[in-house]
Structure formats: structure tokens, C-alpha cells
């Protein structure tokens, strides 16, 4: 009798695990099958493609066209200053500490010492962000469908304990391997805010905003103003 009870318990556990696995294939909430009905996959680069629009870079003529748009040949720094007070989406944040003063040493005849940095952060919209094939998808009846019809649960690379360690064919490394050659339009928000008297004339960057309406926030109206400032007066140069 005891063995029968144990076997029943094991069978019940297996069935429960199977039911949990089956139910995990769909997400609660809205479902759209447009990617399936409209046949979004395979992409124009084939069913096995992982790079998307980055494939344009493999065409030397496209690279030549992009480089032909360069006019001023200036080098600029593109990115942002990382700090814990930077505005972020929702609860995301960026924290860096020095774990020790110093972290290690002194070592050897030269009494070497060093510092390490410990950074704790979400990557998305905190650091310089690049969205890969697994960034945006649609919740379909077959599961969360990403680029080229790949279901994200089928793509995950798992490590010890089943922890997701990577996105597999949806990983950002695939388009990054090809890279991009792009035309960049830079709008000087600092110069615009100076021209409006909103920030000091010696400012090198926008101030960190602390509330709505602060001059450190660039609005759609600001973008329009910057474009107007760059546009020559009517008739000039015609």
C-alpha cells in the first residue's frame, strides 16, 4: 500500500510538472496572432537569419553611400555620463562603489596597490543601449514571438539551475558582429538652451533634471527650436 501511495505521489508530481510546463507556454494578457496570420517570418534574409537590418552592412555599396554623406569629417563623443542621479525609466538605476580603499595590495617590491569598481545596474536605457532581435516581440497564441518567428522560450540558453544565461539566436551579438555604418544627425541642445538663457553660457552639458520643466529636459518643442536655429533664414543661400 505504501509503495502504491509513493507511486501515485510521483505520478502526480510528474503530471503537475507537465501541466506547469504546458501552461508556461502562454503569457497572461492580450494576445495577437498578426505575426502568424500576416507571415512576418521568415524575414527577407531567410529563416535562419539572426542579424536583421544589420545585413545591409554586408553590402559594400551601402557602406559607400553612407560614407558619401559625410561632409565635415568631425570626430565627436556620443554617449552619456553615468551617475546614480541620472533620470531613468521606472525603478532602474546605476550604482558604482569602490569595494575597498584600496581593493588590493600592497604587493611586491614596488608595493603595488589598486582599486576595483563594482557596478550594479540594469543595462536597458541606463547605459548606451543597442536593441537586438530579442528586444521587442508580440505575445501570440504560440508564445512570445520575436524576430524571424522565434519563440523566446525556445531560444534561451540555460546555465546551472535552469537560469537563463543568454538569448541564443535572439542575442544582440549577431547584428553586432556585422555592425552598422550610419548617417548621424546631431542636435546641440546645450547651445540651444544657452541661446534661450536657460543654462549658463559656460555650461558644457545640460544640468541633471530634478523636476518637470527643468532645463535639463529636452522636449519635442526644444527639438523643433534647435532645427529652427540651424535652418538658414528664408532666401539665404538660394
Amino acid at each position: 500500500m505504501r509503495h502504491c501511495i509513493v507511486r501515485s505521489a510521483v505520478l502526480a508530481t510528474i503530471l503537475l510538472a507537465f501541466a506547469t510546463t504546458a501552461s508556461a507556454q502562454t503569457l497572461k494578457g492580450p494576445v495577437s496572432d498578426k505575426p502568424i496570420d500576416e507571415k512576418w517570418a521568415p524575414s527577407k534574409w531567410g529563416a535562419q537569419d539572426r542579424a536583421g537590418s544589420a545585413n545591409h552592412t554586408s553590402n559594400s555599396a551601402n557602406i559607400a553611400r553612407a560614407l558619401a554623406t559625410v561632409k565635415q569629417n568631425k570626430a565627436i563623443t556620443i554617449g552619456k555620463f553615468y551617475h546614480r542621479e541620472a533620470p531613468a525609466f521606472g525603478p532602474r538605476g546605476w550604482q558604482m562603489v569602490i569595494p575597498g580603499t584600496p581593493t588590493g595590495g600592497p604587493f611586491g617590491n614596488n608595493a603595488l596597490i589598486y582599486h576595483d569598481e563594482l557596478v550594479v545596474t540594469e543595462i536597458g536605457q541606463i547605459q548606451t543601449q543597442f536593441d537586438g532581435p530579442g528586444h521587442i516581440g508580440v505575445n501570440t497564441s504560440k508564445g512570445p514571438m520575436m524576430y524571424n518567428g522565434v519563440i523566446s522560450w525556445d531560444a534561451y540558453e540555460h546555465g546551472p539551475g535552469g537560469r537563463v544565461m543568454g538569448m541564443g539566436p535572439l542575442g544582440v551579438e549577431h547584428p553586432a558582429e556585422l555592425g552598422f555604418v550610419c548617417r548621424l544627425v546631431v542636435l546641440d541642445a546645450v547651445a540651444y538652451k544657452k541661446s534661450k538663457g536657460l543654462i549658463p553660457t559656460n555650461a558644457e552639458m545640460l544640468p541633471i533634471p530634478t523636476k518637470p520643466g527643468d532645463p535639463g529636459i529636452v522636449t519635442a518643442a526644444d527639438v523643433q527650436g534647435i532645427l529652427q536655429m540651424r535652418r538658414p533664414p528664408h532666401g539665404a543661400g538660394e
Side-chain angles (χ1 to χ4, degrees):
M1 183 65 178
R2 179 177 178 274
H3 293 295
C4 182
I5 294 174
V6 171
R7 284 197 297 270
S8 298
V10 171
L11 178 59
T13 302
I14 294 174
L15 290 175
L16 178 61
F18 178 79
T20 302
T21 303
S23 64
Q25 299 306 306
T26 57
L27 293 172
K28 292 182 179 180
V31 172
S32 172
D33 278 345
K34 291 186 70 174
I36 301 171
D37 298 337
E38 298 178 2
K39 295 181 173 56
W40 292 8
S43 76
K44 61 187 293 184
W45 290 286
Q48 301 303 313
D49 180 63
R50 302 178 178 185
S53 294
N55 284 288
H56 287 299
T57 308
S58 61
N59 185 325
S60 59
N62 289 338
I63 297 175
R65 280 197 295 271
L67 294 177
T69 64
V70 177
K71 304 298 181 184
Q72 299 182 27
N73 298 299
K74 291 182 178 180
I76 63 174
T77 299
I78 303 172
K80 60 183 180 182
F81 177 55
Y82 299 142
H83 53 91
R84 59 179 53 90
E85 293 84 13
F89 174 78
R92 297 176 184 177
W94 189 92
Q95 300 287 330
M96 187 185 81
V97 298
I98 308 298
T101 52
T103 308
F107 299 120
N109 295 334
N110 293 328
L112 172 72
I113 61 174
Y114 64 87
H115 285 101
D116 281 335
E117 304 81 29
L118 173 63
V119 175
V120 180
T121 184
E122 292 86 357
I123 294 178
Q125 299 175 352
I126 293 293
Q127 303 183 36
T128 303
Q129 180 173 334
F130 184 91
D131 294 340
H135 182 61
I136 294 292
V138 177
N139 186 35
T140 72
S141 59
K142 293 184 177 181
M145 184 174 290
M146 316 301 286
Y147 172 68
N148 226 0
V150 176
I151 303 299
S152 61
W153 290 320
D154 298 335
Y156 293 150
E157 296 175 358
H158 296 276
R163 177 178 295 180
V164 176
M165 306 298 291
M167 293 294 290
L170 297 175
V172 71
E173 67 272 17
H174 303 299
E177 286 171 355
L178 295 178
F180 291 91
V181 179
C182 306
R183 179 172 181 260
L184 176 68
V185 178
V186 180
L187 302 180
D188 194 343
V190 173
Y192 175 73
K193 298 278 185 172
K194 287 180 181 179
S195 71
K196 297 297 182 180
L198 299 174
I199 61 175
T201 56
N202 62 345
E204 296 182 356
M205 63 179 64
L206 296 179
I208 298 171
T210 59
K211 62 183 184 304
D214 278 0
I217 299 174
V218 179
T219 66
D222 290 331
V223 173
Q224 292 297 325
I226 297 170
L227 294 174
Q228 284 294 119
M229 184 176 68
R230 291 177 55 86
R231 191 172 294 133
H234 181 68
E238 292 182 353

